[in-house]
Amino acid sequence: MISTRQLGIIVALSRVSVITVFLPVITAADARQDAPIAAVVSTLGGVLLTLPAVALAVRFPGTSYGGFARRVLGKPLGILASVLLAGFFLVLVVLRARQLAFLLIASQLELAPSWIFAGTVVLVGGYGASLGGDSLGRMAEILLTLVVGSIVVGLSLAFLSVPIDFRYLRPIMHRGWGPVLYASLNPIFWFVTSGSVVLALSAYCPDHRRIPRAVMAAIVGSGVVLVAMAIGATIIFGPEKAQGQLSPALSLARIVFVHGVIERMDALLMSVWVAGVTFDAALFTLVSVVTLSDATRISPKYVLIAIVSIGFILAVQRFVDIFLIRRLVDPVYTTWAAVLVHVLMVGGTLLVAVITGRRGAGNDDSSK
């Protein structure tokens, strides 16, 4: 079992681990000096789109999406929806593993084969998933402290190390809402995806009535981090230069230097981010396993072996390169993914549950 506090920390860590390196409000679009505004919009959008998943978790306590989808949609359609949701999170495991591998190679280990790093992340993520929600909850408490601490220290030292120019944040909204809304699409996807892990982790959380507050607080808190990082990168590099970085956060870390104290802040950030991505792999693998196991009534052990095997095979393939990943995380594709998975499938399940009056009661197993 995990507490609602641990559930919120898990959601926040899953989101912040993406923010700390890629800053999608800057790099995935062309918001320029309005990137902090896009960060605010994406946070609000993430809260709204996460509401259906949270509502389902509260309505059906003690089980995952795989369990209540069978009851709400019927056995065949419920299993199909669960397979799609599990596959969606498995694809995210592969993408996150490959992103980490490519960033490690581009920044520090140019000659290393990327498939070794990606495959290792998938395997370690599978091991983490096998430990269960309680272990992930305790690990998240430690990692979130390290991640947020590194962000606060890094930004503070960066502001002291180089000149900053708040004029880079002006003029505000001079190109209208179009670029801002487009820049918010990719972060919204990651916000709602992180929040939707509640569809599986609610099975581990006995105090289901406090789930909404914990999840929403996690999304808003990670949104504050996103806004701060967007402001920091913009006022130090300028909007155009920040947008051209593969990783604005990593570039910020490279300019931090305190002789005898911190001489390689970028190495520290990379170490923290490797831990964050590995945690994400374990979390998303656990979501896939719990969802599919509850839907098919197959032992989680066998489902875990199958999912990790498929994930490893995909992660070591050469066709999953940085160019394919850039296309898949493009705002257009991530928007379609959010609409199909989080709005139509999850939202549709909630709508059917409300119309038919279906709701759970503890570990209700009447869907068998």
Side-chain angles (χ1 to χ4, degrees):
M1 291 297 175
I2 60 174
S3 65
T4 50
R5 175 176 174 273
Q6 288 177 318
L7 175 61
I9 290 174
I10 288 173
V11 173
L13 178 61
S14 175
R15 182 65 191 101
V16 171
S17 66
V18 180
I19 295 171
T20 52
V21 174
F22 289 107
L23 279 178
V25 289
I26 293 178
T27 57
D30 189 32
R32 301 182 190 176
Q33 69 273 7
D34 295 325
I37 300 176
V40 174
V41 173
S42 64
T43 303
L44 297 176
V47 168
L48 291 176
L49 289 182
T50 306
L51 288 176
V54 171
L56 279 173
V58 174
R59 193 177 184 90
F60 296 91
T63 188
S64 72
Y65 182 84
F68 51 71
R70 283 172 58 116
R71 180 173 183 181
V72 173
L73 303 176
K75 183 177 178 180
L77 192 57
I79 292 178
L80 175 61
S82 300
V83 170
L84 293 176
L85 186 66
F88 169 74
F89 278 101
L90 177 59
V91 169
L92 292 183
V93 172
V94 175
L95 290 181
R96 300 286 278 130
R98 293 295 284 183
Q99 278 182 318
L100 172 61
F102 290 131
L103 190 61
L104 283 173
I105 292 172
S107 61
Q108 297 181 12
L109 303 169
E110 293 84 357
L111 300 179
S114 61
W115 68 270
I116 292 181
F117 295 113
T120 301
V121 170
V122 173
L123 294 177
V124 174
Y127 172 72
S130 71
L131 300 178
D134 176 59
S135 296
L136 290 183
R138 286 184 275 114
M139 182 59 67
E141 293 179 310
I142 300 173
L143 287 179
L144 187 64
T145 302
L146 292 175
V147 171
V148 174
S150 66
I151 291 174
V152 172
V153 172
L155 283 178
S156 301
L157 293 177
F159 291 155
L160 297 174
S161 302
V162 298
I164 59 176
D165 191 349
F166 285 97
R167 290 177 297 179
Y168 282 134
L169 297 174
R170 300 197 303 266
I172 298 175
M173 300 291 294
H174 77 289
R175 295 184 298 157
W177 280 100
V180 171
L181 294 178
Y182 186 76
S184 68
L185 293 177
N186 184 277
I188 285 176
F189 168 79
W190 288 111
F191 271 123
V192 67
T193 298
S194 297
S196 294
V197 301
V198 71
L199 291 169
L201 296 186
S202 61
Y204 294 91
C205 191
D207 193 1
H208 66 281
R209 298 186 184 279
R210 297 176 61 185
I211 287 178
R213 180 184 299 178
V215 174
M216 296 309 161
I219 293 177
V220 172
S222 55
V224 171
V225 175
L226 178 59
V227 173
M229 292 289 290
I231 292 175
T234 302
I235 64 178
I236 289 178
F237 294 121
E240 287 79 12
K241 186 176 180 180
Q243 184 180 347
Q245 304 287 331
L246 173 64
S247 169
L250 194 59
S251 299
L252 278 174
R254 284 174 176 160
I255 66 177
V256 173
F257 178 83
V258 179
H259 183 68
V261 180
I262 297 179
E263 300 182 0
R264 287 296 305 274
M265 186 69 186
D266 59 327
L268 175 62
L269 179 64
M270 282 301 302
S271 299
V272 173
W273 192 66
V274 167
V277 171
T278 305
F279 177 86
D280 256 10
L283 173 62
F284 292 161
T285 301
L286 178 64
V287 172
S288 297
V289 170
V290 172
T291 301
L292 200 55
S293 177
D294 282 355
T296 61
R297 302 297 192 259
I298 299 175
S299 170
K301 177 176 64 175
Y302 300 117
V303 175
L304 176 64
I305 294 173
I307 285 180
V308 172
S309 299
I310 296 172
F312 181 83
I313 293 173
L314 292 175
V316 300
Q317 298 303 311
R318 288 183 175 272
F319 73 86
V320 187
D321 56 20
I322 190 63
F323 303 105
L324 175 62
I325 292 176
R326 280 185 176 273
R327 290 196 296 271
L328 292 177
V329 299
D330 181 88
V332 174
Y333 289 102
T334 54
T335 300
W336 276 110
V339 169
L340 294 175
V341 175
H342 303 299
V343 177
L344 295 182
M345 193 170 75
V346 176
T349 303
L350 175 62
L351 182 61
V352 173
V354 172
I355 292 175
T356 59
R358 297 289 180 88
R359 62 176 60 247
N363 290 304
D364 187 9
D365 200 31
S366 59
S367 59
K368 285 187 177 181

